Structures are given as C-alpha cells and as structure tokens.
Amino acid sequence: MTLQDLALEVAPAARRWERIAQALREDIAAGRFQPGERLPNETVLAERFGVHRHTLRQAMRSLAESGYVRVVHGRGTFVRELVLDYALQRRTRLTQNLADCGEQAQRELRGAVVETAGPWAPALKLRAGDPIELLFTRASVRGRVVGISRSAFPSNRFAGMGGVFARCLSVTEALRQFGVDDYTRARSVVSTRMPTPDEADALARPASAPVLVVDYVNVDREGRPVEAGQTLFAADAVQLVVTPEEGQP
C-alpha cells in the first residue's frame, strides 16, 4: 500500500471519492496508466482504496466528466487519449482554445531574458539591436506537456514582461496590464520538424517524435506588433485547426 492509498483510509467518507479521483488522476499524469490502457476493474480498485463500489463509481464518474477516462460498456474504463484541437484564428488564445476542448491548461514560465532583437526584429518591426523581453514558457494538460513557446516582446513597451507573466501566467492578462486590452493574430506559419534534444526533453517526448511548429505575430488594435513567437506542439497530442476569419463563412 502506498502513502497515497494509506491517506485515503483516514479521509472523511463524504470526501473519499474525490481523493480517489485525485489519486487516479496522479497515476495517469505520472504515466502509471498509459493513454488507451484499461484501468483495473472495480473489484481491484475498490480493494486498493478500501471503499465500497458506490464510492469508487463516484470517483470514476468524476474522472469521466473531467475527460481523463472513457467508459466502454461491456469492456471497461480506459484512459482517454489526449488529442487536442488547437484553433488558429484571428484571436488565438491558448487558455480559451483548451477550454473549448473541455480542458484546462497549466502554464509555467521556464525562463525570461532581455536581449537584442536579432532575428525577431523584422516580425516586431524593430532594429536588430533594439532590446526585447524573451520568455520561455510551457503548457500542460492533465499533467502532460503539450507545448513549449518562445515569445518576444518589445522592451520599449513591455519592460518587465517576465515578472508580470510570472504573476498571472497568461499572455493576454500580462498584455492587459501593459494597456493592451485586445490583440489579434497577424500571421501564423505552420511547419513540422524533429525536435532538438533540449526541445524533446522540455516536451517530455522522445527525440524521434516530430513536433508541430507555429511561428506567429500578434498585433494591437493599431496594427503594431506586440508579440512574436514560436510554439512547438507535441504532434501526438495536438492537431491544428484553421478557422475562417471573423465575418467570413
């Protein structure tokens, strides 16, 4: 019996099913149950957690409703494959895109530096020597990394962007704090390639697994670039969907 399982023995009965659901979510996130794998049957799980089947079924219902598992009548309960539809549209927002899929994104800031614009200069309409705020971020769903990004912001408008993003973990909210209340996607270029060893490590994927690459530029209401970036998506977890511009059929 694990410490996690032992803690369930002393959990209040009314909350025990929630703790069971959390324990199984952690098992799935840690890879102890792989996508597509069938979970142990009710008898085995009930014995593991020391509960009645009714309590266990509440936990399984919660997992199904939150998208972690799917129930196939007559066959059992399976870990749901994680394949997200990520819409490329005029207003592309990571959090909203995943919410539309019924998922919740966890964002993290992996690093932030101030450096010269260099190759980011044309997209941001800067000189090569102008300073930029460069952020390195990662997004996960259900404990599984789905994408990593490099995002560049002009320092003359967004000095300290790294610290602001670290507090809110949202590009949209961070830009709003700098007075940019709306922005739109000016360009998205999609390609595919093999990841570098560092990229594969950050994505928690083998170096032999291809990635989807989206290079993009976002602009404010006046058409001034506010962000240029590149996002690498795990190709086995995300499929890109191009939607019509607003007002188009």
Side-chain angles (χ1 to χ4, degrees), residues 31 34 40 52 78 89 94 97 115 139 150 153 161 170 207 227 235:
Q34 294 294 318
H52 296 295
F78 296 81
Q89 50 195 353
L94 174 66
N97 267 344
E115 59 181 42
R150 294 183 299 153
F153 304 86
M161 173 60 81
S170 164
E227 178 191 9

Side-chain angles (χ1 to χ4, degrees), residues 1 28 39 52 78 81 88 101 118-119 128-129 134 139 141 169 179 190 199 207-208 226:
M1 177 180 293
I28 292 170
L39 295 182
H52 296 295
F78 296 81
E81 299 282 352
L88 295 178
C101 297
L134 187 60
V141 173
L169 296 179
V190 180
E199 290 167 346
S208 58
V226 296

Side-chain angles (χ1 to χ4, degrees), residues 13 44 58 67 72 104 111-112 129 141 144 147 157 165 184 192 227 240:
V44 172
Q58 286 182 289
V72 181
Q104 185 174 9
V141 173
R144 185 181 181 191
R157 292 184 67 184
F165 180 88
T184 54
T192 185
E227 178 191 9
L240 301 177

